[in-house]
């Protein structure tokens, strides 16, 4: 008796541990694969930038900072401030931002440049060097020096046009999703199946329905965990969490955070709903099965009683 009780206790504890492991596996897998299309989509980042522009002029702030950087770094090379007027246009800066996002998503470790801007800047530099004003000031520069200057200014302007965190963060995202998705998918599937069969082994024979039911409990738990993460993102104060001085960039990150939390919440509700609904269906099915078994058992008992009564009558 004590041995059976101890064995049942170990099975119960083991089942709980396996259910927790399965819940965490399903939770991590659901987040990984559902967010992959969002985190690796250039259009998603661009759409959020468009929303940030509507809310707090994200593109306008970026363009203003890029122009200020262009003048401040350009004048260090000895060129007059007036030479940089009109070199960088607003529409070109916005288009370059979108091209930059698509470029990084496609080639995370590549180098993005502004060829049209570079040509305009190079032409302006050559024109100034050959002007009477430069000769009067004793200013001169070789073509090689101008090319180096143009490359330097290009990198400075790109640093403003690019999202300050994107170039550093996205390559890691790309490694996780683009090069390891198959590995994660196979490993996750094998792990989930292994945990399910482990749960099946811990239960008594003939209790497959219980294993399915407990798996659905884990699925529902994964949905609840997902919702908790989404709610946490909802209440997170982005202005304090994200350490950026630009309000436009903070607005971009907050909009991105809200879009991410909405996606996670929807995912969590779907997973939890599927888990609860499937559990309810199994409960109804199990209840009907028990009722049928009960009816069969009662009919069998009644039949036996009738047979016994008939036999007694015949004997009498």
């Amino acid at each position: 008796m004590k041995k059976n009780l101890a064995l049942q206790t170990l099975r119960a504890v083991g089942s709980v541990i396996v259910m927790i492991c399965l819940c965490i596996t399903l939770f991590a897998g659901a987040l990984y694969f559902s967010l992959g299309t969002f985190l690796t989509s250039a259009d998603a980042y661009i759409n959020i930038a468009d929303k940030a522009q509507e809310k707090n002029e994200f593109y306008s702030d970026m363009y203003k900072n890029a122009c200020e950087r262009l003048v401040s770094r350009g004048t260090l090379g000895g060129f007059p401030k007036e030479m940089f007027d009109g070199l960088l246009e607003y529409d070109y800066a916005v288009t370059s931002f979108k091209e930059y996002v698509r470029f990084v998503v496609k080639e995370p470790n590549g180098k993005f440049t502004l060829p049209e801007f570079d040509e305009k800047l190079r032409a302006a530099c050559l024109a100034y060097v050959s002007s009477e004003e430069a000769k009067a000031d004793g200013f001169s520069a070789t073509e090689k020096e101008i090319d180096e200057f143009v490359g330097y200014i290009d990198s400075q302007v790109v640093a403003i046009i690019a999202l300050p965190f994107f170039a550093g963060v996205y390559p890691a995202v790309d490694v996780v999703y683009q090069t390891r998705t198959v590995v994660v998918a196979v490993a996750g599937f094998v792990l989930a199946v292994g945990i399910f069969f482990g749960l099946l082994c811990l239960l008594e024979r003939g209790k497959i329905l219980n294993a399915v039911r407990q798996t659905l409990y884990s699925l529902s738990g994964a949905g609840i965990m997902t919702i908790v993460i989404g709610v946490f993102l909802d209440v997170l104060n982005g202005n304090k969490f994200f350490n950026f001085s630009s309000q436009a960039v903070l607005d971009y990150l907050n909009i991105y955070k809200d879009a991410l939390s909405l996606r996670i919440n929807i995912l969590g509700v779907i997973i939890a709903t599927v888990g609860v609904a499937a559990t309810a269906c199994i409960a109804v099915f199990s209840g009907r099965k028990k009722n049928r078994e009960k009816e069969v058992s009662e009919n069998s008992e009644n039949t036996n009683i009738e047979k016994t009564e008939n036999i007694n009558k015949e004997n009498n």
Side-chain angles (χ1 to χ4, degrees):
M1 183 68 178
K2 291 183 178 180
K3 185 177 180 180
N4 292 335
L5 181 62
L7 182 60
Q8 290 178 359
T9 302
L10 287 175
R11 281 181 171 175
V13 173
S15 297
V16 172
I17 294 174
V18 171
M19 284 176 63
I20 292 174
C21 293
L22 182 59
C23 180
I24 294 174
T25 301
L26 293 173
F27 162 72
L31 282 182
Y32 179 86
F33 289 104
S34 65
L35 297 181
T37 54
F38 182 74
L39 296 176
T40 58
S41 172
D43 290 335
Y45 294 103
I46 293 172
N47 289 337
I48 291 173
D50 292 340
K51 293 179 181 178
Q53 168 65 16
E54 295 175 0
K55 181 179 181 180
N56 200 28
E57 299 185 340
F58 171 77
Y59 292 134
S60 302
D61 185 75
M62 174 197 69
Y63 176 69
K64 177 184 176 182
N65 292 335
C67 289
E68 291 176 353
R69 177 70 65 88
L70 170 62
V71 173
S72 65
R73 297 295 187 270
T75 53
L76 293 177
F79 293 96
K81 179 180 178 181
E82 295 76 16
M83 190 192 81
F84 301 99
D85 292 342
L87 284 179
L88 183 64
E89 298 176 352
Y90 175 81
D91 290 340
Y92 179 75
V94 173
T95 302
S96 297
F97 167 81
K98 296 178 180 181
E99 290 177 350
Y100 167 79
V101 172
R102 292 192 174 95
F103 176 85
V104 173
V105 170
K106 186 177 180 180
E107 301 179 37
N109 298 313
K111 183 180 180 181
F112 181 79
T113 59
L114 305 169
E116 294 181 18
F117 169 75
D118 292 349
E119 288 300 321
K120 291 176 65 176
L121 178 59
R122 183 178 290 103
C125 291
L126 291 172
Y128 177 75
V129 169
S130 61
S131 67
E132 294 298 329
E133 181 183 352
K135 293 177 182 178
D137 293 338
F139 179 84
S140 64
T142 64
E143 289 191 9
K144 181 180 179 180
E145 290 173 337
I146 290 176
D147 288 340
E148 291 176 351
F149 174 76
V150 170
Y152 169 72
I153 295 299
D154 178 281
S155 65
Q156 292 296 306
V157 174
V158 169
I160 298 298
I161 290 178
L163 289 170
F165 60 90
F166 194 66
V169 173
Y170 188 80
V173 174
D174 180 75
V175 169
V176 172
Y177 279 101
Q178 300 298 337
T179 62
R180 299 181 182 177
T181 301
V182 176
V183 175
V184 173
V186 173
F189 177 77
V190 172
L191 181 61
V193 172
I195 292 174
F196 174 78
F197 279 103
L199 183 62
L200 195 61
C201 292
L202 287 171
L203 298 173
E204 297 178 5
R205 292 182 179 179
K207 299 294 184 179
I208 296 179
L209 195 61
N210 286 341
V212 174
R213 184 185 291 110
Q214 294 192 25
T215 300
L216 293 174
Y217 292 159
S218 297
L219 183 64
S220 302
I224 294 172
M225 290 174 64
T226 305
I227 293 173
V228 169
I229 296 297
V231 172
F232 171 76
L233 289 175
D234 281 333
V235 301
L236 181 68
N237 189 335
N239 290 335
K240 292 182 179 180
F241 182 78
F242 301 120
N243 186 24
F244 290 100
S245 58
S246 172
Q247 185 60 44
V249 174
L250 286 175
D251 287 336
Y252 178 93
L253 291 172
N254 279 321
I255 293 172
Y256 186 86
K257 174 184 72 70
D258 293 339
L260 192 64
S261 66
L262 177 62
R263 192 180 184 90
I264 292 174
N265 281 327
I266 292 174
L267 173 67
V269 170
I270 291 174
I271 294 175
T273 301
V274 170
V276 172
T279 302
C281 289
I282 287 181
V284 172
F285 171 77
S286 180
R288 289 180 177 178
K289 184 179 178 181
K290 288 181 179 179
N291 290 334
R292 286 197 299 269
E293 291 176 350
K294 184 178 180 181
E295 290 177 0
V296 171
S297 177
E298 290 177 352
N299 292 334
S300 177
E301 289 180 0
N302 292 333
T303 301
N304 291 333
I305 292 173
E306 290 178 357
K307 287 181 178 180
T308 301
E309 290 178 352
N310 291 331
I311 291 173
N312 290 335
K313 288 180 180 179
E314 291 177 356
N315 292 333
N316 292 330

